[in-house]
């Protein structure tokens, strides 16, 4: 790989997709941190490598923080890494005894004794946890007023965040863009152009049952929204509609399980195990299906003669997927003890084991473990997985290395995925 770097105007528009997953989103920042390092040691133009950015759930928060600082990619990534490296649960949800009693304990009481106290409306909690601290954190972390400025200066072309309406059942992508992008509509999903702000991020990251729904204006009236990963049948689609010609997707869970059987249990599943399984379905499955769909469409397009391809609106799109090489549930199981005592007690009541290494209920815990020991390990895994695929990253972006990236591991990572089309 060599030659002069391509002029900025010759570079295909690159999109970035950051998926959901609560505390698992720390992995995304590790990937971005490694990409920033690889970029610094290459001939890459010193511009934001992701003109189109789309995120969902916690990925929407990372995406918006990155977009609002797109005029300095390295600083934006460094700021995100600092936050995730020093995270504590108290920055995301109330983890004190009074806070847990006011939401989680009352929620569980309603599940068991709701028939007795249903007539007292004030006793009806809205969620398992109170995430009001996250509102404060986002106000400090993200200055959404900068988005218009960086767009006007050409540092980013478009930003999209997605949420799901509990009222209409629609999956909605809220977006802002430099160009006049016509809103798209598909079955059970639509796009709305607006000024993206903190409430959109809180809505996108409102994990069902765990965090409260957020009111947003849609079509002139208020609807309550929850996590954007719900009913998200095509997570890659927003970046395509916003003009991305190639897309980097960063997942928050394994795309494929390794060979070999997992330990089996004949015990009846706890509420935590059922909830973790449901959340994994919400956060992880749609991405794998969408990538497979892109591969099939891309393969079909490759079989068409040039004149037939010219008559279709479909076009191939290169996609690089970077996802964890290890099970994040297993990593979470090692760190449940780092959660504040009231949260550990709450999780134990629904079946999360408090013993290090015990994976029972760890899937649920993996989404709520906003604690530095866990997030730092995910950051390190994201960096290691990306450095292991350094040549693929360089090839995807068309960068040429200046020299070997210092400290880059040599371990192998997941296999890249390529293909896709506008839908």
């Amino acid at each position: 790989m060599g030659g002069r770097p391509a002029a900025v105007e010759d570079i295909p528009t690159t999109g970035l997709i950051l998926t959901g997953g609560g505390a698992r989103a720390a992995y995304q920042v590790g990937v971005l941190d490694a990409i920033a390092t690889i970029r610094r040691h290459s001939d890459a133009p010193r511009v934001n490598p992701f003109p189109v950015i789309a995120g969902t759930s916690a990925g929407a928060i990372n995406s918006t923080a990155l977009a609002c600082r797109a005029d300095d990619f390295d600083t934006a990534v460094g700021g995100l890494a600092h936050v995730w490296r020093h995270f504590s649960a108290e920055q995301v949800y109330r983890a004190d005894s009074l806070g847990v009693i006011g939401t989680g304990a009352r929620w569980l009481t309603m599940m068991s004794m709701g028939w007795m106290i249903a007539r007292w409306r004030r006793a009806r909690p809205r969620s398992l946890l109170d995430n009001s601290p996250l509102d404060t954190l986002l106000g400090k972390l993200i200055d959404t007023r900068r988005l218009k400025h960086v767009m006007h200066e050409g540092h980013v072309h478009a930003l999209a965040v997605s949420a799901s309406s509990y009222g209409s059942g629609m999956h909605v992508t809220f977006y802002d863009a430099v160009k006049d992008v016509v809103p798209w509509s598909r079955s059970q999903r639509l796009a709305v152009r607006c000024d993206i702000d903190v409430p959109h991020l809180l809505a996108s990251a409102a994990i069902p049952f765990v965090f409260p729904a957020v009111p947003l204006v849609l079509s002139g009236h208020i609807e309550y929204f929850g996590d954007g990963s719900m009913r998200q049948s095509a997570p890659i689609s927003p970046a395509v509609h916003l003009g991305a010609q190639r897309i980097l997707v960063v997942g928050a869970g394994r795309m494929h399980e390794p060979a070999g059987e997992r330990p089996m249990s004949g015990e009846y599943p706890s509420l935590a195990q059922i909830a973790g399984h449901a959340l994994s379905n919400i956060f992880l499955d749609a991405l794998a299906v969408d990538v497979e769909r892109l591969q099939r469409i891309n393969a079909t397009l490759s079989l068409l003669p040039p004149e037939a391809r010219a008559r279709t609106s479909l076009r191939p799109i290169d996609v690089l997927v970077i996802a964890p090489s290890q099970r994040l549930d297993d990593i979470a199981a090692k760190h449940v003890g780092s959660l504040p005592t009231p949260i550990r007690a709450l999780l134990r009541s629904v079946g999360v084991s408090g013993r290090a290494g015990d994976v029972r209920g760890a899937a649920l815990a993996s989404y709520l473990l906003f604690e530095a020991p866990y997030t730092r390990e995910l950051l390190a895994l994201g960096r290691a997985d990306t450095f292991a695929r350094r040549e693929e990253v360089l090839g995807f972006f068309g960068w040429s290395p200046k020299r070997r990236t210092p400290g880059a591991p040599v371990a192998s990572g997941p296999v890249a995925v390529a293909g896709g089309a506008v839908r």
Side-chain angles (χ1 to χ4, degrees), residues 153-224:
E153 294 294 322
H155 299 292
V156 67
H157 300 171
L159 169 68
V161 301
S162 297
S164 183
S165 170
Y166 287 115
S168 66
M170 295 293 291
H171 180 269
V172 183
T173 296
F174 299 96
Y175 73 94
D176 199 359
V178 173
K179 296 181 179 179
D180 188 17
V181 178
V182 179
W184 60 94
S185 179
R186 298 291 186 270
S187 176
Q188 295 299 312
R189 56 189 173 101
L190 58 88
V192 175
R193 185 164 191 160
C194 68
D195 293 333
I196 295 172
D197 208 345
V198 168
H200 296 94
L201 306 184
L202 289 170
S204 184
I207 300 174
F209 300 110
V210 177
F211 296 144
V214 177
L216 297 175
V217 176
L218 183 67
S219 301
H221 63 275
I222 295 292
E223 289 193 28
Y224 278 86

Side-chain angles (χ1 to χ4, degrees), residues 97-171:
S97 297
L98 289 178
V100 171
I101 290 172
T103 54
R106 186 183 297 177
W107 190 79
L108 293 175
T109 300
M110 282 295 299
M111 288 181 63
S112 60
M113 303 178 63
W115 62 275
M116 295 178 58
I117 56 177
R119 68 177 181 269
W120 288 299
R121 188 174 183 84
R122 286 182 298 178
R124 300 176 187 175
R126 296 187 172 190
S127 60
L128 185 65
L129 296 172
D130 174 3
N131 67 339
S132 55
L134 180 60
D135 191 356
T136 302
L137 175 65
L138 294 181
K140 297 176 180 178
L141 176 64
I142 301 173
D143 183 2
T144 54
R145 296 170 299 179
R146 293 197 84 247
L147 186 58
K148 294 291 187 183
H149 169 72
V150 295
M151 283 186 172
H152 178 74
E153 294 294 322
H155 299 292
V156 67
H157 300 171
L159 169 68
V161 301
S162 297
S164 183
S165 170
Y166 287 115
S168 66
M170 295 293 291
H171 180 269

Side-chain angles (χ1 to χ4, degrees), residues 230-249:
M230 295 186 291
R231 310 200 73 173
Q232 187 177 43
S233 59
I236 301 175
S237 179
V240 177
H241 284 288
L242 293 172
Q245 297 166 304
R246 62 186 181 191
I247 300 173
L248 172 69
V249 181

Side-chain angles (χ1 to χ4, degrees), residues 5 65 67 220 322 395 399 414:
I322 300 179
W399 298 338

Side-chain angles (χ1 to χ4, degrees), residues 400-420:
S400 297
K402 291 179 180 178
R403 57 185 179 274
R404 183 181 179 276
T405 305
V410 294
S412 59
V415 177
V417 183

